[in-house]
Amino acid sequence: MQLTVRPAQSEDANGATSLILQSAFRMLNEIFGNGDATVTGQYLMAAWQLGMGQYGYRNHWVACVNHNDVVGVVTSWHDGLAASFGRHTLNSIKQFFGVNETLNVLARSRRLTGMLSPPCGHQLAIGHVAVAEAYRQRGIGRSLITAMQHRALRLGKSELVLDVEADNPDALAFYLSLGFECAPSLTPFLHCTKPVADIR
């Protein structure tokens, strides 16, 4: 199997957006679909194609086999992102949902994502990590995380950080196997960190 991890492109939409939804199904479906996975998937597709913002392709990396078959996805963010990042995310929501429903989406988002920890200045946060079911246990998730470690080094960050649902034992075991340390919290999420220099 020849694996490539590269910056995402707009043409990766079908494979990548389904994986993004898979990465945090309950949260994303509640925020954007209010329980309707079809609406959530349609929003993610529209936001991906816009390119910019939290769900745009320009802020994602994909793992591909056979050159362009997307089998994994990851995103990252840090405290040095331009203010336009938030504006592009908001615009993608407004364009898809309209003004009135955007207010509901933002209210649901604040309630759910308020439990997540933003990255500090020395950290690169990663998220939307997912690998297609048929390609798991082949080192693809590890390759995605390693690519983000190299990105963190280029940005001068010393630590990777992520939040994982406490009731997701498979994801937790995966991150622990890569050397992340996960601290318990009062939220449904565990806050996990890993030194960037510790590339395995």
Side-chain angles (χ1 to χ4, degrees):
M1 179 183 70
Q2 184 176 3
L3 179 71
T4 303
V5 177
R6 60 164 172 78
Q9 303 169 355
S10 61
E11 294 81 5
D12 300 321
N14 286 332
T17 56
S18 64
L19 287 171
I20 291 171
L21 179 54
Q22 172 187 300
S23 73
F25 182 84
R26 285 182 295 181
M27 176 178 285
L28 294 176
N29 195 36
E30 186 168 344
I31 291 172
F32 296 113
N34 198 22
D36 187 335
T38 299
V39 172
T40 304
Q42 289 170 345
Y43 164 71
L44 291 174
M45 180 72 74
W48 178 272
Q49 298 289 3
L50 290 174
M52 306 298 287
Q54 186 174 357
Y55 299 96
Y57 71 86
R58 293 181 184 273
N59 201 49
H60 286 82
W61 290 258
V62 292
C64 299
V65 296
N66 303 325
H67 301 294
N68 286 310
D69 293 338
V70 175
V71 297
V73 68
V74 67
T75 189
S76 68
W77 64 97
H78 54 87
D79 70 331
L81 289 176
S84 59
F85 179 79
R87 289 199 301 272
H88 285 298
T89 303
L90 179 59
N91 286 340
S92 74
I93 297 171
K94 285 181 178 177
Q95 285 186 35
F96 184 85
F97 291 101
V99 175
N100 291 334
E101 183 58 21
T102 290
L103 296 176
N104 294 326
V105 170
L106 295 178
R108 294 193 296 265
S109 178
R110 279 191 295 270
R111 178 169 54 83
L112 293 168
T113 62
M115 297 181 287
L116 304 178
S117 304
C120 298
H122 68 286
Q123 295 173 326
L124 181 73
I126 59 176
H128 300 172
V129 181
V131 174
E133 186 173 359
Y135 287 88
R136 292 174 188 167
Q137 306 297 322
R138 300 193 192 186
I140 294 172
R142 181 182 296 270
S143 295
L144 289 167
I145 300 302
T146 299
M148 293 301 96
Q149 287 181 265
H150 288 294
R151 173 169 165 74
L153 287 172
R154 290 193 298 272
L155 292 170
K157 306 297 183 181
S158 61
E159 194 171 52
L160 292 182
V161 60
L162 59 89
D163 291 287
V164 61
E165 290 179 299
D167 64 353
N168 188 343
D170 291 340
L172 181 57
F174 167 68
Y175 292 122
L176 291 174
S177 75
L178 295 181
F180 281 88
E181 294 185 358
C182 300
S185 75
L186 298 177
T187 75
F189 297 91
L190 301 177
H191 191 63
C192 304
T193 59
K194 172 184 171 70
V196 167
D198 180 20
I199 297 180
R200 300 185 181 187

